[in-house]
Amino acid sequence: MLHSKTNWQSPAADPGKIRELARSLSISPLLSSLLVQRGMDTAEKALVFMDGGAEDRHDPFLLSGMAEAVPRIRRALEEEEHILVYGDYDADGVSSTALMIYLLRHLGASFDIYIPHRSNEGYGLHNHALDWALQQGVSLVITVDTGISAYHQIAYASTLGIDVIVTDHHEPPELLPEAYALINPKLPHCAYPFKGLAGVGVAYKLAEALLGSSVPEEWCEIAAIGTVADLMPLVGENRSLVRRGLSSMRHSRFPGVRALLAVSGITMNTVSAINIAFGMAPRINASGRLDHAGRAVTLLTTDTAEEAEQLAAELDLLNKERQLVVERIVQEATAKLEERISRSGLPDIIVLADQGWNVGVVGIVASKLLERYYRPVIILDIHPDTGMCKGSARSIPGLDIYAALSSCAELMDHFGGHPAAAGMSLPHERLEAFDEALNAYAADVLTPEDFVAVTAADGEVSIADLTLQAALELERLAPFGMANPLPRFILRGAAVKETRRMGQESKHLKLVLQQGRLQIEAVAFGKGPLADLLPAGTEVDVLAELSVNEWNGSRKPQLMLQDLAVPSAQLFDLRGAADAVKQAVQLESLLQTYSGKAGRAAAVFQNSRTSPLRELKGMSLWVYEEAGGISLLHQPEDRGEPAEVTLLCLLDMPESPEQLESLFTVFPGAENIALLHSIRDGRDRLQVPTREHFAALYKWIASIAASPTPEPEVLRRLSRQSALGARMLNRMLDVFAELDFIDRSGGKITFVPQPAAKSLTASEHFIRLGKTAEMEQYFMEGSRSELQEFLLSRRLGAS
């Protein structure tokens, strides 16, 4: 049994609306259900969403502050004032700055740009930057993707005689800066119909206000990058901007965009919003995380292919370096956390800090630990000289991390953010109190249900629904992103037909799934080792995205696996393993990695086992008892709440039905059983006894032991005459002795010539031999499915 990493939830949609929309638009029920679930439940709404409409584009002068900003910029152009574009270091800030560069170049303006250094300066407008601007002769500052909270800095700019126009999209504070103009759709008094613009989207609306209908279409490419990278909702005007940007990007004339697509390994004529999010955006962000974001701005605004290729290569290297830095910090942070868990259990809010944790990537590290432990996570870098801790938080839906930070605001020098993510700084000496205060707050807010991750799905389907036509139709919902995610479907009760690893170092997994006569291929990147847990015939439930696989001119539907569950108990057939202990350790590790449920493993073996067991550190160790049960040999220390045994590793097979029954009695919650015992040679195996076996044996004993004969001698001579092994012969002698057909005393055996007539079935040894031989036959020769059925029947009997 494998548990899914998260709980899957799919909304129920009105089947009548689905049928009617499918009929009226001549689309598949699958596409129709997606449209209805996402609020496009009429033909008119659905067509606007799929094909776009004029209502997706709004008059830029509906933005509060635009009417003041445009004349001020025109005056600056007429009077040849020097303008400063002040941006931010993330991908939205970089895109916003690049777009303003294109706009001011187009207008023939005199301008400079300024983006603060993430590590050295931090986010936002800074007074020292305004001092520098004054020295450069700047009289007008236009902020992009920042500025809405810069009350004091903008007041300082006024004292310098510098006007500030703020274009931003972040949540406005209660105290608004007294800027020349504030342009932000989220301002409470702003009547702009669409509130979800990115910073680059607001900058684009400023360009529209200044240029009207003559805004170059290719500028949508820059707007698309920032909008997708900043995780803005891909609905309404954002959807229109990104769709137009992607269309232009497929034949882009920007050298920087072309070079960035190339180093990201993205096919230009099929670029998608997903490609921007996972290919282009990380490379742009790497510039601001490990270096200075100015390099990324130059890439997006250069006119020469040679410079673009060089800069794109540099960003690619920075991104690879960023990945290595993240991986190192994740390992160090995980080690710290595991050590803490071993002492006091898993906290409700994870707070970890250390020196040398690059402040530019701590947010990514927090996200990765959140994914693994499903707890709110705060990762902080400690400055080696000042002791100041700067960090980032990522949270789960059940906890508003901004509210949590607000509850202990007095412990921090600075903090800001929103319910899902935040940033903060505080002195090292307050770190312990900070951790305690946050966890005290969480204890009052979080419930056990909040620690269960939930993934939204778009419905339950069968393989029959997942046709090539349906996969192609889904493209009508693109671009996919926030508020319009790539559809995910739940497929239940599919049998694994084939399993194989693929790719470099066999990192990836490919399955062929079957329902009835229908099959579909499924791919899971980075999950190659999962192949060992999914032998052919395993029934699985999967959460997957539907895509089109194109290869050598042919196209077919394909699933991209996001999560997987095996709803029934599993039997892992590793009989005859060269190193049973090593195999048990590997299996436990795989199950811990790929199953969403914590559990413990137990290993059971015969007392005679001599192989080293010290590698089975985390397992409870048990031995079979001759009397028929099992007894505990070693129990590992519990870390936090003791977990139930879910994996039972049989290093040796039980020698009796009583030992087998005791396994199920002691481990009723074992969801998975691994058979790791050796395979005995044919003569060493027990056989289900027959009357013919005993009749033949009776004759041989009559000739061998007419007078008292040492038992070893009897066994040696019987072994020569019979095809049966010593173990089987010994058990049969037990039967004869019980029935008084032989005398077995003093180490000798004597044939009894005229015993009382007794049925073999009157012998308990005969009954036990039959049951034990049947069990052994299954363990030694049965197929995996036969064994699974046999063990299930015994398990039910034990329960």
Side-chain angles (χ1 to χ4, degrees):
M1 181 177 283
L2 276 177
H3 295 269
S4 57
K5 292 285 189 183
T6 66
N7 283 352
W8 310 336
Q9 292 183 354
S10 62
D14 185 334
K17 286 185 177 179
I18 292 172
R19 284 194 299 271
E20 175 56 27
L21 192 63
R23 185 198 61 76
S24 61
L25 296 181
S26 298
I27 57 177
S28 68
L30 191 65
L31 178 58
S32 178
S33 68
L34 290 169
L35 287 164
V36 170
Q37 287 168 15
R38 298 183 184 201
M40 278 63 71
D41 54 1
T42 67
E44 293 74 24
K45 289 179 184 177
L47 287 173
V48 168
F49 186 79
M50 291 189 292
D51 303 329
E55 54 267 49
D56 283 342
R57 299 175 70 172
H58 307 294
D59 182 351
F61 284 97
L62 291 175
L63 280 160
S64 175
M66 192 68 80
E68 293 76 29
V70 169
R72 179 65 186 88
I73 294 171
R74 292 199 189 284
R75 175 157 60 89
L77 294 170
E78 290 167 5
E79 297 180 6
E80 299 182 349
E81 294 181 57
H82 196 50
I83 301 170
L84 179 68
V85 177
Y86 194 103
D88 187 29
Y89 38 68
D90 69 0
D92 187 16
V94 165
S95 303
S96 304
T97 304
L99 188 60
M100 288 302 298
I101 289 172
Y102 280 114
L103 174 61
L104 294 178
R105 281 180 185 171
H106 186 86
L107 295 171
S110 169
F111 69 93
D112 265 320
I113 68 165
Y114 192 99
I115 296 178
H117 192 283
R118 183 191 287 262
S119 299
N120 299 339
E121 297 173 275
Y123 176 79
L125 191 59
H126 299 285
N127 286 353
H128 65 262
L130 293 169
D131 291 334
W132 173 84
L134 184 66
Q135 293 172 4
Q136 306 307 309
V138 169
S139 54
L140 174 63
V141 172
I142 303 174
T143 72
V144 288
D145 193 35
T146 190
I148 197 65
S149 300
Y151 179 88
H152 298 291
Q153 293 83 355
I154 290 175
Y156 180 68
S158 294
T159 68
L160 300 179
I162 298 175
D163 290 336
V164 180
I165 294 172
V166 172
T167 74
D168 201 353
H169 73 125
H170 293 99
E171 293 292 337
E174 287 186 20
L175 187 63
L176 295 172
E178 296 177 3
Y180 190 93
L182 292 178
I183 306 173
N184 184 332
K186 291 178 182 171
L187 287 168
H189 57 273
C190 182
Y192 197 72
F194 184 68
K195 304 296 183 182
L197 291 172
V200 71
V202 179
Y204 185 86
K205 299 310 290 186
L206 178 59
E208 279 192 337
L210 285 162
L211 301 181
S213 60
S214 61
V215 176
E217 186 67 11
E218 60 264 28
W219 290 5
C220 289
E221 297 177 38
I222 309 300
I225 292 171
T227 300
V228 172
D230 215 41
L231 304 180
M232 291 296 101
L234 294 193
V235 296
E237 194 163 12
N238 282 347
R239 184 173 172 80
S240 172
L241 266 176
V242 172
R243 179 182 272 157
R244 290 160 56 206
L246 289 169
S247 177
S248 176
M249 203 179 287
R250 286 168 190 144
H251 48 82
S252 180
R253 290 181 292 180
F254 290 129
V257 170
R258 296 174 71 93
L260 194 54
L261 288 169
V263 297
S264 303
I266 299 167
T267 304
M268 196 164 164
N269 60 1
T270 59
V271 62
S272 67
I274 305 296
N275 295 145
I276 292 177
F278 294 100
M280 302 174 78
R283 288 166 172 81
I284 293 172
N285 277 322
S287 179
R289 292 185 190 281
L290 300 186
D291 186 43
H292 191 280
R295 196 185 308 201
V297 172
T298 304
L299 170 64
L300 292 182
T301 56
T302 182
D303 292 327
T304 67
E306 185 178 354
E307 184 180 30
E309 288 166 8
Q310 180 182 336
L311 288 167
E314 291 172 5
L315 292 194
D316 190 48
L317 285 174
L318 277 175
N319 189 52
K320 288 183 171 69
E321 182 184 344
R322 188 269 308 167
Q323 291 170 331
L324 292 173
V325 170
V326 167
E327 187 178 340
R328 173 183 63 81
I329 299 174
V330 166
Q331 289 176 353
E332 293 174 4
T334 301
K336 272 181 170 286
L337 178 58
E338 288 294 330
E339 196 273 331
R340 176 174 175 175
I341 291 171
S342 68
R343 293 195 322 267
S344 54
L346 182 63
D348 289 345
I349 298 181
I350 297 167
V351 180
L352 299 167
D354 207 344
Q355 290 185 17
W357 287 1
N358 189 308
V359 73
V361 302
V362 290
I364 301 174
V365 175
S367 294
K368 289 185 176 293
L369 263 67
L370 183 150
E371 184 180 346
R372 177 168 177 178
Y373 294 96
Y374 204 68
R375 294 288 193 278
V377 179
I378 298 175
I379 303 292
L380 302 112
D381 172 57
I382 306 172
H383 194 282
D385 300 324
T386 66
M388 184 60 67
C389 302
K390 291 179 70 175
S392 289
R394 297 292 184 271
S395 194
I396 59 178
L399 184 93
D400 181 334
I401 194 65
Y402 183 80
L405 291 171
S406 299
S407 73
C408 56
E410 72 283 355
L411 296 173
M412 294 171 284
D413 287 8
H414 169 78
F415 76 99
H418 52 80
M424 74 295 297
S425 61
L426 68 155
H428 183 254
E429 58 268 21
R430 296 184 199 158
L431 191 59
E432 187 175 342
F434 176 68
D435 189 338
E436 291 174 357
L438 283 173
N439 274 286
Y441 176 88
D444 292 335
V445 172
L446 291 167
T447 66
E449 291 74 26
D450 292 321
F451 295 123
V452 179
V454 173
T455 300
D458 293 278
E460 297 201 14
V461 298
S462 65
I463 291 179
D465 300 315
L466 304 175
T467 63
L468 176 61
Q469 185 59 37
L472 293 169
E473 272 192 336
L474 294 185
E475 280 303 309
R476 297 191 68 183
L477 299 180
F480 297 111
M482 296 301 290
N484 183 43
L486 200 63
R488 289 180 172 179
F489 303 104
I490 300 170
L491 176 66
R492 297 194 188 276
V496 174
K497 186 73 174 173
E498 296 175 28
T499 308
R500 69 179 178 90
R501 300 187 189 203
M502 63 179 193
Q504 201 171 31
E505 299 177 2
S506 299
K507 285 183 179 178
H508 312 306
L509 174 71
K510 187 171 187 178
L511 301 174
V512 176
L513 302 178
Q514 182 167 338
Q515 281 181 332
R517 295 182 178 179
L518 298 176
Q519 295 183 356
I520 191 168
E521 290 183 354
V523 172
F525 290 111
K527 292 185 170 64
L530 193 55
D532 294 336
L533 303 180
L534 299 171
T538 305
E539 191 169 283
V540 297
D541 299 336
V542 300
L543 178 72
E545 296 165 355
L546 179 61
S547 63
V548 177
N549 180 26
E550 298 194 28
W551 180 254
N552 285 342
S554 72
R555 297 193 297 179
K556 58 184 176 181
Q558 176 179 266
L559 292 177
M560 307 302 293
L561 293 188
Q562 305 302 310
D563 201 358
L564 179 144
V566 178
S568 302
Q570 284 183 273
L571 183 70
F572 297 106
D573 186 359
L574 301 168
R575 289 174 289 181
D579 188 335
V581 170
K582 183 178 179 182
Q583 288 273 33
V585 171
Q586 288 176 347
L587 183 60
E588 181 194 24
S589 176
L590 275 175
L591 286 168
Q592 284 183 346
T593 301
Y594 291 106
S595 184
K597 179 182 176 182
R600 178 191 290 163
V604 190
F605 44 88
Q606 297 294 345
N607 245 327
S608 57
R609 174 167 281 274
T610 57
S611 61
L613 301 168
R614 57 181 175 272
E615 293 178 40
L616 304 172
K617 294 180 204 171
M619 297 189 189
S620 58
L621 306 181
W622 299 72
V623 293
Y624 295 108
E625 296 175 337
E626 285 188 22
I630 61 171
S631 58
L632 180 65
L633 185 68
H634 169 73
Q635 184 79 286
E637 291 183 18
D638 283 321
R639 300 188 302 178
E641 290 295 317
E644 184 178 32
V645 169
T646 54
L647 170 63
L648 183 58
C649 297
L650 304 186
L651 304 185
D652 298 310
M653 64 167 281
E655 294 287 354
S656 70
E658 291 79 12
Q659 288 181 350
L660 178 61
E661 184 177 329
S662 68
L663 293 174
F664 297 131
T665 303
V666 175
F667 305 112
E671 300 168 345
N672 298 306
I673 298 176
L675 301 181
L676 298 141
H677 58 273
S678 58
I679 303 296
R680 289 188 172 117
D681 291 337
R683 271 180 65 90
D684 288 337
R685 298 180 191 174
L686 299 180
Q687 295 184 29
V688 176
T690 66
R691 293 182 183 279
E692 289 73 20
H693 285 141
F694 281 93
L697 187 64
Y698 190 74
K699 290 178 182 177
W700 290 328
I701 295 173
S703 63
I704 294 170
S707 59
T709 308
E711 186 167 326
E713 174 66 16
V714 173
L715 281 171
R716 184 175 59 79
R717 293 175 64 181
L718 286 174
S719 292
R720 279 200 209 130
Q721 291 178 276
S722 169
L724 301 175
R727 287 179 66 238
M728 182 68 181
L729 291 170
N730 234 321
R731 302 286 183 105
M732 294 174 73
L733 291 176
D734 289 339
V735 174
F736 280 152
E738 183 184 357
L739 296 175
D740 297 323
F741 291 176
I742 61 172
D743 178 69
R744 200 180 193 186
S745 59
K748 295 183 178 181
I749 291 176
T750 308
F751 177 72
V752 176
Q754 292 181 329
K758 295 177 184 176
S759 170
L760 286 171
T761 56
S763 165
E764 288 186 11
H765 281 98
F766 179 82
I767 303 299
R768 178 186 293 271
L769 175 58
K771 290 180 178 178
T772 305
E774 180 193 26
M775 179 190 76
E776 185 168 307
Q777 200 168 54
Y778 275 106
F779 272 86
M780 291 293 163
E781 301 172 16
S783 66
R784 189 177 68 88
S785 59
E786 289 170 339
L787 248 173
Q788 193 150 355
E789 189 175 335
F790 170 77
L791 292 177
L792 177 62
S793 66
R794 297 306 179 275
R795 183 178 204 151
L796 292 174
S799 62

